[in-house]
Amino acid sequence: MTTPSKALGEVCADVRPGGADDAVQGVAPAHVAAPATVAEASALMRIAAEHGLAVVARGAGTRLDWGAPPRQCDLLVDTHRLDRVIEHAAGDLVVKVEAGLPLHRLGETLEASGQRLALDLPLAGSTVGGTLATAAAGPLRLRYGTPRDLLIGVTIIRADGAVAKAGGKVVKNVAGYDLGKLVTGSYGTLGLIVEAAFRLHPLPRGRAFVTAPMAGAVAADEAVQALLHSAIVPSAIEVDAPADGPITVGVLVEGAPAGVTARTDTAAALLGTDAEVGETAPSWWGRALDGQSLIELRAKPTDLSQVLKAAAGAQARGSAGNGVWQLALPAEAGAQRVAEVVDAARALGHAVVLTAPPEVRERLDMWGPVPALALMHRVKDQFDPEHRLSPGRFAGGI
């Protein structure tokens, strides 16, 4: 019988043994393969199915520490060679790309046509596929939505190697769009994302950032609510709250230059006499927090002061207009302290531990209550009957 290594090498030119540097949260793969085409990716997945190999996907690896460690990893599929812009229909404001394309390179391509994919880049090097797999979003979600909202078509490789497509390359074609919603945020447990089509937006002709320090959590809460209920139509409202520093509220205003100027003046007045206006984002804007334990909390936008109270002693940063936060604690915080912050966060909304040291993971329920878990297991059974795709990486051990 042909060995997995030989079989994989027959369908993909870039196959090698896995090493310690390829480990996914301590679980090293036996093989690493980097397909250059969708056909090669399909063939790899077919070989994996024939040999019963557990498969984990990797783009740039910027979020491989998110989620739980895989129970098993026989084949790591590296998508870095799937990095083409397949088609940019500028007149239709649509782009179709391969999953291994870094977002910053996509941004450079679109900028030449005066367009953008309205997704932020919190982690340098993040790829299209990794962003979809983790449903990662940043400040622009207030106005433009999340990856799930901007995705209009997707191509995945199923567990058996079959190619499945849904949606299209034009905005009006939404047939099968539910597949895109399913795989976005699924951590690679339903299929290997290889292509995606997105709705684009024109680059704004004018933009301004208005930031101001706040006297405390209550003042920050009042400022955010004033911005939300004003007529400035912000593209983003962000709050940065270091563990031992002043709270800062920031707002992004975009649009026609004349309108931006007037709306910026209004935003500055709402934020107080210490407000500063600039054309570039502050250094912290949209950046992922540094911390050994990272928690994502989704709460009501009106709960800002309670969120910051729950995060006492931790860094907090987030899209206050949406109520989406990241809370970060250092390694020395310890499992008990992380658990206290998680419990306080879950009293306010849905909180997920994105990443944490092994000793913390062992003591925490990383995902918390998931009402749709039974349905998610049924979907998993349908897409991956043998549970070989990123096994154990997602909620409920999926």
Side-chain angles (χ1 to χ4, degrees), residues 306-345:
Q306 290 94 322
V307 169
L308 297 185
K309 181 179 179 181
Q315 300 177 74
R317 182 177 296 160
S319 300
N322 300 86
V324 181
W325 296 86
Q326 283 192 352
L327 314 177
L329 295 99
E332 57 269 23
Q336 181 59 39
R337 178 59 187 141
V338 175
E340 291 171 357
V341 173
V342 170
D343 288 343

mmCIF file of all heavy atoms in Angstrom, residues 306-345:
data_model
loop_
_atom_site.group_PDB
_atom_site.id
_atom_site.type_symbol
_atom_site.label_atom_id
_atom_site.label_comp_id
_atom_site.label_asym_id
_atom_site.label_seq_id
_atom_site.Cartn_x
_atom_site.Cartn_y
_atom_site.Cartn_z
ATOM 1 N N GLN A 306 -19.361 48.818 32.611
ATOM 2 C CA GLN A 306 -19.339 47.505 33.262
ATOM 3 C C GLN A 306 -18.258 46.607 32.668
ATOM 4 O O GLN A 306 -17.634 45.814 33.374
ATOM 5 C CB GLN A 306 -20.711 46.820 33.127
ATOM 6 C CG GLN A 306 -21.805 47.483 33.955
ATOM 7 C CD GLN A 306 -22.594 48.507 33.146
ATOM 8 O OE1 GLN A 306 -22.031 49.231 32.323
ATOM 9 N NE2 GLN A 306 -23.891 48.550 33.377
ATOM 10 N N VAL A 307 -18.043 46.741 31.351
ATOM 11 C CA VAL A 307 -16.982 45.958 30.707
ATOM 12 C C VAL A 307 -15.622 46.337 31.285
ATOM 13 O O VAL A 307 -14.808 45.478 31.634
ATOM 14 C CB VAL A 307 -16.995 46.188 29.181
ATOM 15 C CG1 VAL A 307 -15.730 45.598 28.544
ATOM 16 C CG2 VAL A 307 -18.229 45.547 28.555
ATOM 17 N N LEU A 308 -15.378 47.633 31.413
ATOM 18 C CA LEU A 308 -14.091 48.066 31.947
ATOM 19 C C LEU A 308 -13.943 47.681 33.422
ATOM 20 O O LEU A 308 -12.837 47.406 33.886
ATOM 21 C CB LEU A 308 -13.936 49.572 31.766
ATOM 22 C CG LEU A 308 -13.911 50.048 30.302
ATOM 23 C CD1 LEU A 308 -13.633 51.543 30.228
ATOM 24 C CD2 LEU A 308 -12.882 49.277 29.494
ATOM 25 N N LYS A 309 -15.044 47.638 34.141
ATOM 26 C CA LYS A 309 -14.986 47.181 35.534
ATOM 27 C C LYS A 309 -14.639 45.696 35.587
ATOM 28 O O LYS A 309 -13.822 45.260 36.417
ATOM 29 C CB LYS A 309 -16.331 47.438 36.226
ATOM 30 C CG LYS A 309 -16.351 47.013 37.682
ATOM 31 C CD LYS A 309 -17.712 47.314 38.317
ATOM 32 C CE LYS A 309 -17.755 46.873 39.779
ATOM 33 N NZ LYS A 309 -19.079 47.149 40.393
ATOM 34 N N ALA A 310 -15.249 44.913 34.700
ATOM 35 C CA ALA A 310 -14.959 43.478 34.663
ATOM 36 C C ALA A 310 -13.507 43.214 34.289
ATOM 37 O O ALA A 310 -12.912 42.226 34.708
ATOM 38 C CB ALA A 310 -15.887 42.786 33.664
ATOM 39 N N ALA A 311 -12.933 44.127 33.495
ATOM 40 C CA ALA A 311 -11.560 43.952 33.025
ATOM 41 C C ALA A 311 -10.533 44.558 33.960
ATOM 42 O O ALA A 311 -9.362 44.652 33.598
ATOM 43 C CB ALA A 311 -11.414 44.579 31.636
ATOM 44 N N ALA A 312 -10.942 44.971 35.152
ATOM 45 C CA ALA A 312 -10.028 45.640 36.079
ATOM 46 C C ALA A 312 -8.724 44.861 36.218
ATOM 47 O O ALA A 312 -8.717 43.666 36.512
ATOM 48 C CB ALA A 312 -10.700 45.782 37.442
ATOM 49 N N GLY A 313 -7.608 45.543 35.966
ATOM 50 C CA GLY A 313 -6.311 44.894 36.033
ATOM 51 C C GLY A 313 -5.871 44.283 34.730
ATOM 52 O O GLY A 313 -4.728 43.827 34.601
ATOM 53 N N ALA A 314 -6.769 44.270 33.732
ATOM 54 C CA ALA A 314 -6.438 43.739 32.417
ATOM 55 C C ALA A 314 -6.476 44.863 31.388
ATOM 56 O O ALA A 314 -7.070 45.918 31.619
ATOM 57 C CB ALA A 314 -7.430 42.642 32.014
ATOM 58 N N GLN A 315 -5.834 44.647 30.249
ATOM 59 C CA GLN A 315 -5.973 45.581 29.146
ATOM 60 C C GLN A 315 -7.328 45.350 28.488
ATOM 61 O O GLN A 315 -7.794 44.214 28.392
ATOM 62 C CB GLN A 315 -4.894 45.341 28.089
ATOM 63 C CG GLN A 315 -3.467 45.475 28.552
ATOM 64 C CD GLN A 315 -2.520 45.146 27.406
ATOM 65 O OE1 GLN A 315 -2.358 45.933 26.486
ATOM 66 N NE2 GLN A 315 -1.905 43.979 27.464
ATOM 67 N N ALA A 316 -7.937 46.426 28.029
ATOM 68 C CA ALA A 316 -9.202 46.298 27.301
ATOM 69 C C ALA A 316 -9.149 47.210 26.083
ATOM 70 O O ALA A 316 -8.679 48.342 26.154
ATOM 71 C CB ALA A 316 -10.387 46.673 28.193
ATOM 72 N N ARG A 317 -9.621 46.708 24.986
ATOM 73 C CA ARG A 317 -9.674 47.495 23.760
ATOM 74 C C ARG A 317 -10.802 46.947 22.910
ATOM 75 O O ARG A 317 -11.008 45.737 22.854
ATOM 76 C CB ARG A 317 -8.356 47.404 23.001
ATOM 77 C CG ARG A 317 -8.299 48.253 21.722
ATOM 78 C CD ARG A 317 -6.914 48.135 21.081
ATOM 79 N NE ARG A 317 -5.885 48.685 21.967
ATOM 80 C CZ ARG A 317 -4.588 48.398 21.866
ATOM 81 N NH1 ARG A 317 -4.178 47.551 20.944
ATOM 82 N NH2 ARG A 317 -3.720 48.941 22.689
ATOM 83 N N GLY A 318 -11.535 47.839 22.265
ATOM 84 C CA GLY A 318 -12.613 47.293 21.457
ATOM 85 C C GLY A 318 -13.427 48.298 20.705
ATOM 86 O O GLY A 318 -13.235 49.515 20.807
ATOM 87 N N SER A 319 -14.342 47.745 19.924
ATOM 88 C CA SER A 319 -15.274 48.527 19.124
ATOM 89 C C SER A 319 -16.482 48.833 20.002
ATOM 90 O O SER A 319 -17.462 48.072 20.032
ATOM 91 C CB SER A 319 -15.679 47.748 17.878
ATOM 92 O OG SER A 319 -14.544 47.439 17.081
ATOM 93 N N ALA A 320 -16.388 49.953 20.708
ATOM 94 C CA ALA A 320 -17.413 50.273 21.693
ATOM 95 C C ALA A 320 -18.778 50.489 21.058
ATOM 96 O O ALA A 320 -19.809 50.238 21.685
ATOM 97 C CB ALA A 320 -17.000 51.525 22.471
ATOM 98 N N GLY A 321 -18.804 50.948 19.810
ATOM 99 C CA GLY A 321 -20.082 51.159 19.145
ATOM 100 C C GLY A 321 -20.827 49.871 18.874
ATOM 101 O O GLY A 321 -22.054 49.864 18.745
ATOM 102 N N ASN A 322 -20.099 48.748 18.782
ATOM 103 C CA ASN A 322 -20.709 47.431 18.585
ATOM 104 C C ASN A 322 -20.766 46.617 19.868
ATOM 105 O O ASN A 322 -21.449 45.591 19.920
ATOM 106 C CB ASN A 322 -19.911 46.611 17.559
ATOM 107 C CG ASN A 322 -19.838 47.263 16.206
ATOM 108 O OD1 ASN A 322 -18.961 48.079 15.979
ATOM 109 N ND2 ASN A 322 -20.747 46.930 15.311
ATOM 110 N N GLY A 323 -19.983 47.002 20.864
ATOM 111 C CA GLY A 323 -19.899 46.206 22.078
ATOM 112 C C GLY A 323 -19.027 44.976 21.929
ATOM 113 O O GLY A 323 -19.241 43.967 22.607
ATOM 114 N N VAL A 324 -18.027 45.034 21.035
ATOM 115 C CA VAL A 324 -17.110 43.906 20.839
ATOM 116 C C VAL A 324 -15.752 44.292 21.408
ATOM 117 O O VAL A 324 -15.142 45.275 20.974
ATOM 118 C CB VAL A 324 -16.975 43.537 19.352
ATOM 119 C CG1 VAL A 324 -16.035 42.337 19.189
ATOM 120 C CG2 VAL A 324 -18.343 43.227 18.753
ATOM 121 N N TRP A 325 -15.262 43.512 22.361
ATOM 122 C CA TRP A 325 -14.062 43.858 23.122
ATOM 123 C C TRP A 325 -13.048 42.735 23.118
ATOM 124 O O TRP A 325 -13.403 41.556 23.019
ATOM 125 C CB TRP A 325 -14.440 44.141 24.580
ATOM 126 C CG TRP A 325 -15.331 45.312 24.761
ATOM 127 C CD1 TRP A 325 -16.703 45.335 24.688
ATOM 128 C CD2 TRP A 325 -14.922 46.661 25.034
ATOM 129 N NE1 TRP A 325 -17.160 46.601 24.904
ATOM 130 C CE2 TRP A 325 -16.097 47.440 25.119
ATOM 131 C CE3 TRP A 325 -13.688 47.263 25.225
ATOM 132 C CZ2 TRP A 325 -16.057 48.801 25.389
ATOM 133 C CZ3 TRP A 325 -13.639 48.616 25.489
ATOM 134 C CH2 TRP A 325 -14.824 49.376 25.570
ATOM 135 N N GLN A 326 -11.787 43.113 23.278
ATOM 136 C CA GLN A 326 -10.735 42.167 23.636
ATOM 137 C C GLN A 326 -10.192 42.555 25.000
ATOM 138 O O GLN A 326 -9.951 43.742 25.264
ATOM 139 C CB GLN A 326 -9.602 42.166 22.610
ATOM 140 C CG GLN A 326 -9.925 41.422 21.335
ATOM 141 C CD GLN A 326 -8.704 41.178 20.469
ATOM 142 O OE1 GLN A 326 -7.617 41.690 20.741
ATOM 143 N NE2 GLN A 326 -8.871 40.371 19.439
ATOM 144 N N LEU A 327 -10.012 41.548 25.844
ATOM 145 C CA LEU A 327 -9.434 41.726 27.177
ATOM 146 C C LEU A 327 -8.188 40.858 27.242
ATOM 147 O O LEU A 327 -8.224 39.678 26.864
ATOM 148 C CB LEU A 327 -10.423 41.300 28.270
ATOM 149 C CG LEU A 327 -11.879 41.791 28.127
ATOM 150 C CD1 LEU A 327 -12.736 41.223 29.260
ATOM 151 C CD2 LEU A 327 -11.941 43.306 28.111
ATOM 152 N N ALA A 328 -7.084 41.427 27.696
ATOM 153 C CA ALA A 328 -5.819 40.690 27.709
ATOM 154 C C ALA A 328 -5.186 40.716 29.083
ATOM 155 O O ALA A 328 -5.139 41.763 29.746
ATOM 156 C CB ALA A 328 -4.857 41.283 26.680
ATOM 157 N N LEU A 329 -4.680 39.557 29.499
ATOM 158 C CA LEU A 329 -3.965 39.437 30.768
ATOM 159 C C LEU A 329 -2.596 38.829 30.521
ATOM 160 O O LEU A 329 -2.447 37.947 29.675
ATOM 161 C CB LEU A 329 -4.740 38.574 31.761
ATOM 162 C CG LEU A 329 -6.077 39.131 32.237
ATOM 163 C CD1 LEU A 329 -7.218 38.489 31.468
ATOM 164 C CD2 LEU A 329 -6.264 38.897 33.719
ATOM 165 N N PRO A 330 -1.585 39.257 31.279
ATOM 166 C CA PRO A 330 -0.231 38.716 31.107
ATOM 167 C C PRO A 330 -0.116 37.315 31.685
ATOM 168 O O PRO A 330 -0.999 36.830 32.402
ATOM 169 C CB PRO A 330 0.625 39.710 31.884
ATOM 170 C CG PRO A 330 -0.290 40.236 32.951
ATOM 171 C CD PRO A 330 -1.647 40.302 32.316
ATOM 172 N N ALA A 331 0.992 36.667 31.374
ATOM 173 C CA ALA A 331 1.214 35.293 31.826
ATOM 174 C C ALA A 331 1.188 35.192 33.344
ATOM 175 O O ALA A 331 0.693 34.210 33.916
ATOM 176 C CB ALA A 331 2.551 34.783 31.287
ATOM 177 N N GLU A 332 1.709 36.219 34.026
ATOM 178 C CA GLU A 332 1.779 36.153 35.486
ATOM 179 C C GLU A 332 0.418 36.290 36.164
ATOM 180 O O GLU A 332 0.301 36.144 37.380
ATOM 181 C CB GLU A 332 2.731 37.225 36.027
ATOM 182 C CG GLU A 332 2.378 38.643 35.636
ATOM 183 C CD GLU A 332 3.042 39.098 34.358
ATOM 184 O OE1 GLU A 332 3.415 38.217 33.544
ATOM 185 O OE2 GLU A 332 3.200 40.311 34.167
ATOM 186 N N ALA A 333 -0.641 36.579 35.388
ATOM 187 C CA ALA A 333 -1.971 36.731 35.989
ATOM 188 C C ALA A 333 -2.440 35.429 36.639
ATOM 189 O O ALA A 333 -3.120 35.439 37.658
ATOM 190 C CB ALA A 333 -2.972 37.187 34.927
ATOM 191 N N GLY A 334 -2.107 34.299 36.046
ATOM 192 C CA GLY A 334 -2.494 33.016 36.622
ATOM 193 C C GLY A 334 -3.897 32.606 36.233
ATOM 194 O O GLY A 334 -4.749 33.434 35.872
ATOM 195 N N ALA A 335 -4.152 31.307 36.317
ATOM 196 C CA ALA A 335 -5.429 30.755 35.883
ATOM 197 C C ALA A 335 -6.603 31.294 36.684
ATOM 198 O O ALA A 335 -7.683 31.547 36.146
ATOM 199 C CB ALA A 335 -5.387 29.224 35.961
ATOM 200 N N GLN A 336 -6.427 31.468 37.987
ATOM 201 C CA GLN A 336 -7.526 31.937 38.819
ATOM 202 C C GLN A 336 -7.960 33.345 38.421
ATOM 203 O O GLN A 336 -9.153 33.639 38.320
ATOM 204 C CB GLN A 336 -7.117 31.918 40.296
ATOM 205 C CG GLN A 336 -8.216 32.371 41.258
ATOM 206 C CD GLN A 336 -9.471 31.523 41.163
ATOM 207 O OE1 GLN A 336 -9.402 30.297 41.016
ATOM 208 N NE2 GLN A 336 -10.637 32.167 41.234
ATOM 209 N N ARG A 337 -6.990 34.228 38.190
ATOM 210 C CA ARG A 337 -7.323 35.600 37.803
ATOM 211 C C ARG A 337 -8.005 35.638 36.435
ATOM 212 O O ARG A 337 -8.972 36.371 36.235
ATOM 213 C CB ARG A 337 -6.053 36.454 37.781
ATOM 214 C CG ARG A 337 -6.289 37.891 37.343
ATOM 215 C CD ARG A 337 -7.273 38.608 38.252
ATOM 216 N NE ARG A 337 -7.616 39.927 37.750
ATOM 217 C CZ ARG A 337 -8.835 40.456 37.808
ATOM 218 N NH1 ARG A 337 -9.834 39.751 38.339
ATOM 219 N NH2 ARG A 337 -9.053 41.655 37.349
ATOM 220 N N VAL A 338 -7.502 34.840 35.497
ATOM 221 C CA VAL A 338 -8.132 34.778 34.172
ATOM 222 C C VAL A 338 -9.567 34.285 34.308
ATOM 223 O O VAL A 338 -10.496 34.826 33.687
ATOM 224 C CB VAL A 338 -7.335 33.870 33.221
ATOM 225 C CG1 VAL A 338 -8.064 33.726 31.881
ATOM 226 C CG2 VAL A 338 -5.937 34.424 32.996
ATOM 227 N N ALA A 339 -9.774 33.275 35.133
ATOM 228 C CA ALA A 339 -11.120 32.736 35.339
ATOM 229 C C ALA A 339 -12.056 33.789 35.918
ATOM 230 O O ALA A 339 -13.234 33.863 35.538
ATOM 231 C CB ALA A 339 -11.066 31.519 36.259
ATOM 232 N N GLU A 340 -11.552 34.620 36.817
ATOM 233 C CA GLU A 340 -12.379 35.683 37.397
ATOM 234 C C GLU A 340 -12.810 36.689 36.340
ATOM 235 O O GLU A 340 -13.971 37.120 36.315
ATOM 236 C CB GLU A 340 -11.602 36.381 38.513
ATOM 237 C CG GLU A 340 -11.378 35.513 39.745
ATOM 238 C CD GLU A 340 -10.414 36.155 40.740
ATOM 239 O OE1 GLU A 340 -9.878 37.251 40.435
ATOM 240 O OE2 GLU A 340 -10.192 35.572 41.815
ATOM 241 N N VAL A 341 -11.879 37.065 35.462
ATOM 242 C CA VAL A 341 -12.219 38.013 34.398
ATOM 243 C C VAL A 341 -13.215 37.387 33.419
ATOM 244 O O VAL A 341 -14.170 38.041 32.983
ATOM 245 C CB VAL A 341 -10.946 38.479 33.664
ATOM 246 C CG1 VAL A 341 -11.300 39.329 32.443
ATOM 247 C CG2 VAL A 341 -10.051 39.266 34.605
ATOM 248 N N VAL A 342 -13.005 36.126 33.093
ATOM 249 C CA VAL A 342 -13.925 35.435 32.178
ATOM 250 C C VAL A 342 -15.325 35.365 32.776
ATOM 251 O O VAL A 342 -16.327 35.633 32.095
ATOM 252 C CB VAL A 342 -13.398 34.022 31.849
ATOM 253 C CG1 VAL A 342 -14.464 33.219 31.109
ATOM 254 C CG2 VAL A 342 -12.132 34.109 31.015
ATOM 255 N N ASP A 343 -15.430 35.025 34.063
ATOM 256 C CA ASP A 343 -16.749 34.946 34.707
ATOM 257 C C ASP A 343 -17.434 36.313 34.713
ATOM 258 O O ASP A 343 -18.643 36.418 34.448
ATOM 259 C CB ASP A 343 -16.602 34.433 36.139
ATOM 260 C CG ASP A 343 -16.248 32.955 36.203
ATOM 261 O OD1 ASP A 343 -16.425 32.263 35.184
ATOM 262 O OD2 ASP A 343 -15.788 32.501 37.270
ATOM 263 N N ALA A 344 -16.671 37.365 35.010
ATOM 264 C CA ALA A 344 -17.243 38.706 35.017
ATOM 265 C C ALA A 344 -17.685 39.117 33.620
ATOM 266 O O ALA A 344 -18.736 39.756 33.443
ATOM 267 C CB ALA A 344 -16.223 39.713 35.566
ATOM 268 N N ALA A 345 -16.907 38.741 32.612
ATOM 269 C CA ALA A 345 -17.262 39.060 31.235
ATOM 270 C C ALA A 345 -18.518 38.316 30.811
ATOM 271 O O ALA A 345 -19.410 38.883 30.164
ATOM 272 C CB ALA A 345 -16.099 38.724 30.303
#
